[in-house]
Amino acid sequence: MSELQFNYYAQSCPKAEEIIKQQVVQLYYKHGNTAVSWVRNLFHDCAVKSCDASLLLETVTGVASEQASERSFGMRNFKYVSTIKAALEAECPLKVSCADIVALSAREGIVMLGGPRIPIKTGRRDSRVSYLAEVEKFIPNHNDSIATALSVFNSIGIDDEGVVALYGAHSVGRVHCANLVHRLYPTVDPTLNPVYAEYLKGRCPTPDPDPDAVVYARNDRETPMILDNNYYKNIINHKGLLIVDQQLASDPRTTPFVQKMAADNSYFHEQFSRAIALLSENNPLTGDQVLCANIEIKSCKTVQLIRNQKRRAKRGGQPPATLPKVKDIVPRTVVLSHLPYSYYRGVKLIWKDSFLGSDTSPLLPLPLPLSPPQIFDTPHTTN
């Protein structure tokens, strides 16, 4: 399939979404902070280039992970993504992508935090490319202005109202002192509520906190683990932790939405649902796009052409026994250096299937262009 859709795994792994839900619930009752991590994972994965699980790629020789960015400071619980993945693999191996795990665990995490249950489409593929150099372009810094934040999110299709709703995620979780002491020292930011500033000084007593120490302030002191509209009430009262939070309440482009969400929790949840759905569908890798993202483009187009011919044959009702084998038409060569095993396995199956060209023209050889340096000529067994 080439597009995201609801219930993508209905046939290939019917219990997939229920398994993810069960795992998220279990992890929440063992480690409540995982729920916040799932939401942040979605934001950091989908805002940077694509919803493709590139965030989860770890650093290897010569290639740095997106997790190494300063914008990823404080992110944790990645190991529990593997816990969810293991449960899915036990049920249906090699079916559910990590990108969909990121999206669906965020949905379930939001529910555990008292937020709305959001309809999320699935069918994302996983990237093998890390976008560390792109992280700073798409993840606003805590010192960035609201103008910068609006520009970044607008560029991926989220309007100003949606941006205000997304920042409502700051209703839960916490901020490390390293990210807020600039508002306290050497002098207190005049936009901070004075009483609240004294509280923050108590939480962050020095201007140079150890980044490895657990020193932080809760985003919302009243309901720190509930996704509600207290965030907007707080920033209206000058109790926002970050500069961008406070500017959200004062910028004329966003103030009306802040006031409306502060007054109506249901409205906040409605807009938050809409914004999360939009974010989760930002430029995902789907269908054959993953091949185009990971191998030389001409090779990708060749594979797509083969698949299209096969589909035409099936629609035409051609008996399988009369169809030529792909292995007799396309050289049995696969560019393994640019494909993970799961994709290689999928491409390999092409040589086991049959396909037909046009109804009138003869089938012509379709050589697979081999421009990457590492090539494997692998014989395939044909049934």
Side-chain angles (χ1 to χ4, degrees), residues 103-241:
L104 293 174
S105 62
R107 177 182 70 182
E108 302 305 334
I110 288 167
V111 173
M112 298 309 295
L113 293 168
R117 184 172 180 82
I118 304 170
I120 296 289
K121 294 180 180 179
T122 44
R124 298 165 188 79
R125 301 295 182 91
D126 294 337
S127 173
R128 298 187 69 228
V129 180
S130 178
Y131 301 110
L132 175 62
E134 302 291 323
V135 174
E136 292 191 6
K137 296 180 183 178
F138 294 100
I139 303 296
N141 185 280
H142 57 278
N143 283 322
D144 284 342
S145 67
I146 187 60
T148 299
L150 290 174
S151 176
V152 168
F153 285 110
N154 291 168
S155 72
I156 61 174
I158 300 177
D159 58 22
D160 292 355
E161 187 174 24
V163 175
V164 174
L166 281 181
Y167 271 101
H170 285 184
S171 171
V172 294
R174 60 195 189 184
V175 173
H176 194 286
C177 288
N179 287 335
L180 59 88
V181 288
H182 60 283
R183 301 191 70 198
L184 303 173
Y185 306 100
T187 58
V188 173
D189 183 337
T191 64
L192 265 176
N193 179 297
V195 176
Y196 189 60
E198 287 304 310
Y199 158 75
L200 293 179
K201 279 189 172 183
R203 297 294 304 175
C204 308
T206 65
D208 54 349
D210 180 356
D212 295 325
V214 184
V215 285
Y216 62 87
R218 292 285 184 185
N219 282 327
D220 177 10
R221 295 174 64 188
E222 296 181 16
T223 55
M225 291 296 287
I226 298 178
L227 188 68
D228 58 20
N229 65 341
N230 270 353
Y231 166 73
Y232 303 101
K233 297 175 183 178
N234 287 336
I235 61 177
I236 286 175
N237 291 320
H238 299 276
K239 295 181 180 181
L241 287 181

Side-chain angles (χ1 to χ4, degrees), residues 84-372:
I84 299 174
K85 179 65 171 173
L88 289 164
E89 290 299 299
E91 175 70 21
C92 36
L94 300 175
K95 297 298 182 183
V96 183
S97 69
C98 289
D100 279 338
I101 292 174
V102 169
L104 293 174
S105 62
R107 177 182 70 182
E108 302 305 334
I110 288 167
V111 173
M112 298 309 295
L113 293 168
R117 184 172 180 82
I118 304 170
I120 296 289
K121 294 180 180 179
T122 44
R124 298 165 188 79
R125 301 295 182 91
D126 294 337
S127 173
R128 298 187 69 228
V129 180
S130 178
Y131 301 110
L132 175 62
E134 302 291 323
V135 174
E136 292 191 6
K137 296 180 183 178
F138 294 100
I139 303 296
N141 185 280
H142 57 278
N143 283 322
D144 284 342
S145 67
I146 187 60
T148 299
L150 290 174
S151 176
V152 168
F153 285 110
N154 291 168
S155 72
I156 61 174
I158 300 177
D159 58 22
D160 292 355
E161 187 174 24
V163 175
V164 174
L166 281 181
Y167 271 101
H170 285 184
S171 171
V172 294
R174 60 195 189 184
V175 173
H176 194 286
C177 288
N179 287 335
L180 59 88
V181 288
H182 60 283
R183 301 191 70 198
L184 303 173
Y185 306 100
T187 58
V188 173
D189 183 337
T191 64
L192 265 176
N193 179 297
V195 176
Y196 189 60
E198 287 304 310
Y199 158 75
L200 293 179
K201 279 189 172 183
R203 297 294 304 175
C204 308
T206 65
D208 54 349
D210 180 356
D212 295 325
V214 184
V215 285
Y216 62 87
R218 292 285 184 185
N219 282 327
D220 177 10
R221 295 174 64 188
E222 296 181 16
T223 55
M225 291 296 287
I226 298 178
L227 188 68
D228 58 20
N229 65 341
N230 270 353
Y231 166 73
Y232 303 101
K233 297 175 183 178
N234 287 336
I235 61 177
I236 286 175
N237 291 320
H238 299 276
K239 295 181 180 181
L241 287 181
L242 304 177
I243 289 176
V244 69
D245 294 327
Q246 202 54 61
Q247 288 188 359
L248 201 70
S250 59
D251 190 283
R253 291 168 293 185
T254 54
T255 298
F257 302 126
V258 169
Q259 293 173 339
K260 191 171 181 180
M261 291 181 196
D264 188 341
N265 193 59
S266 295
Y267 168 71
F268 160 55
H269 279 180
E270 176 186 329
Q271 293 304 315
F272 186 76
S273 296
R274 181 180 69 88
I276 287 290
L278 287 172
L279 181 64
S280 74
E281 296 175 21
N282 178 38
N283 192 34
L285 293 178
T286 58
D288 291 333
Q289 290 178 23
V290 73
L291 293 173
C292 292
N294 291 298
I295 65 175
E296 195 268 336
I297 190 66
K298 292 182 181 178
S299 302
C300 174
K301 290 182 177 179
T302 300
V303 172
Q304 290 174 324
L305 177 59
I306 295 170
R307 289 178 173 175
N308 288 337
Q309 290 174 317
K310 287 165 54 185
R311 292 176 185 130
R312 285 199 298 270
K314 290 179 180 179
R315 287 199 299 268
Q318 184 76 10
T322 65
L323 300 176
K325 300 294 184 181
V326 174
K327 74 179 184 64
D328 297 328
I329 298 169
V330 181
R332 293 180 294 181
T333 309
V334 179
V335 185
L336 292 183
S337 62
H338 283 59
L339 290 173
Y341 172 74
S342 58
Y343 300 145
Y344 161 65
R345 181 173 177 270
V347 174
K348 179 179 175 181
L349 293 178
I350 293 173
W351 276 268
K352 289 187 176 183
D353 291 330
S354 302
F355 80 100
L356 185 67
S358 67
D359 294 334
T360 56
S361 61
L363 291 169
L364 300 175
L366 298 173
L368 193 65
L370 303 174
S371 60

